[in-house]
Every structure is written in structure tokens, then in C-alpha cells.
Amino acid sequence: MNSNKITGINSSGEGFIEIDVRGPKSYTLYSTVDGIRSNQISATQRVSAYYQNLFHCTAYIVALESDYTGAKVTASGITDAKFKSDFLAAVRMNGTGKADSGKYIRWNGSGYSYIDKPTTATGTEATAGRTIAVESYYIPMAKVGGRWKRATVNISGIGNRVAEDVRGRIVGYKIDIFMGLGKNTIKTWNNVDKTVRLISVN
């Protein structure tokens, strides 16, 4: 990690440096002047901090086929059943759905397939009141040493949520909040910009 943001040098030659970091880290600091390296110190940044930018919050669900009407059509990738066309469109939008048969299906980018349960990109079961989809550059979420590290954030007016999922349209300062099964879970939802605080990454 390098930085050249040295500011406020005083008459004794002491200065201040700004270092931009993302996610919880411990690191070692030292300086080199005219080839001479200083003593080094260790530091750990404060984890709990507010983002400077607001996040645009949207919502996603597990689509429920009984919420939709219309003729049933064939779904690419599934040969043993047909589904309401509007339901299939909702599955493409939200990622997963629950059919009238009780089976879960998902959209994989090129077709549909059966799944045991709605699962996030990090392998957890999508859970209302906990799961959000994010871009991991902005809200940390990564596999480290074979284990997922997921950020917990507080979304003002909504509560604490865990970064467990990704979605193609969620880029930049955006959060998609998982609301549960069916349209009823989002009937009072309105997309909104919210203040977000990073609490921890575990």
C-alpha cells in the first residue's frame, strides 16, 4: 500500500499522511526518505464507519407462481413442466422462484433449472431480514482461505443486513434487499436512497 498524500508538514519536518483502505485490515507503516527507511509501526483501521455516499436501495424476492396469471409455457432447460410466462419473467428478474408444484427454479443466465432452495452467491440460504446483494468492491464480500467473509452493514431506517449475494444490476452504490417469498413482501416497498454504516466483516 503506497500513498503520496502527505499534508501539513510543520517546521520540524513532521507531516501527516492520508491512506485509503477498504474493509478491515491491519498493516505496517514506514517511510523512506533519500533511501533511508524509518522505523515501522503497525496499525488497524477503525471498522465501523459511515459511507460518504448514499446507497440506492431496491428489493428482490423469490417469485411465487401463484402471484401470476396467464397461460403456461415451456421453460428453457426444464422439460418436465410448464410455467406461467409472467412468472418466468419474474424469475429472470429476481433470480429464483417457487412454482405451483412447490419446486424452486432459478435463472442461470441462459435457461432455467430446479434447485433445492434459494441460495445466495456465497452459499447461504437467502433470508429476509438478513440477506442483501451488493457489489463487493463497495461492501466487502470475498472468499479468504476457502471461507467467505461477509460484511454486516446498518441501513438507516431498515436495520442490519449481511452482504451475502450479488446481482448483475447491482453495481456501485446500490444495495438489493432480499424481502422473502412472493409479491406480498414488497407491496409497500419503495426504492430509496439510504445512509449505510459498515459494522464488521466476519
Side-chain angles (χ1 to χ4, degrees), residues 11 50 64 69 83 94 113 125 128 166 172:
S11 59
Y50 285 94
L64 187 61
T69 59
F83 309 89
N94 291 281
S113 59
E125 184 173 356
V166 297

Side-chain angles (χ1 to χ4, degrees), residues 64-201:
L64 187 61
E65 188 171 15
S66 59
D67 286 340
Y68 302 89
T69 59
K72 293 196 174 188
V73 298
T74 300
S76 174
I78 296 178
T79 60
D80 64 350
K82 292 185 177 182
F83 309 89
K84 297 169 185 172
S85 58
D86 287 348
F87 166 67
L88 292 178
V91 173
R92 289 186 66 163
M93 172 69 71
N94 291 281
T96 58
K98 187 175 184 180
D100 288 339
S101 65
K103 293 182 177 180
Y104 289 101
I105 66 171
R106 73 179 178 96
W107 171 252
N108 58 30
S110 60
Y112 300 89
S113 59
Y114 289 120
I115 56 173
D116 292 332
K117 58 186 177 182
T119 304
T120 68
T122 63
T124 61
E125 184 173 356
T127 303
R130 186 189 72 205
T131 302
I132 55 173
V134 302
E135 183 179 358
S136 61
Y137 178 81
Y138 294 87
I139 297 180
M141 179 180 63
K143 186 173 280 189
V144 179
R147 178 177 175 270
W148 280 101
K149 298 279 190 176
R150 307 175 182 91
T152 297
V153 297
N154 179 269
I155 305 170
S156 62
I158 294 175
N160 291 358
R161 297 292 187 273
V162 181
E164 297 181 328
D165 211 357
V166 297
R167 291 169 56 71
R169 61 189 175 85
I170 302 302
V171 294
Y173 289 97
K174 295 181 180 179
I175 294 175
D176 217 8
I177 300 170
F178 180 70
M179 300 294 284
L181 178 64
K183 287 182 178 181
N184 279 341
T185 63
I186 55 170
K187 63 182 179 181
T188 60
W189 172 264
N190 292 303
N191 294 343
V192 65
D193 293 333
K194 288 288 189 179
T195 299
V196 174
R197 178 167 58 94
L198 176 65
I199 297 175
S200 64
V201 182

Side-chain angles (χ1 to χ4, degrees), residues 2-18:
N2 296 311
S3 177
N4 57 6
K5 299 180 182 178
I6 300 175
T7 60
I9 297 177
N10 62 27
S11 59
S12 300
E14 297 170 329
F16 302 92
I17 189 168
E18 296 178 9

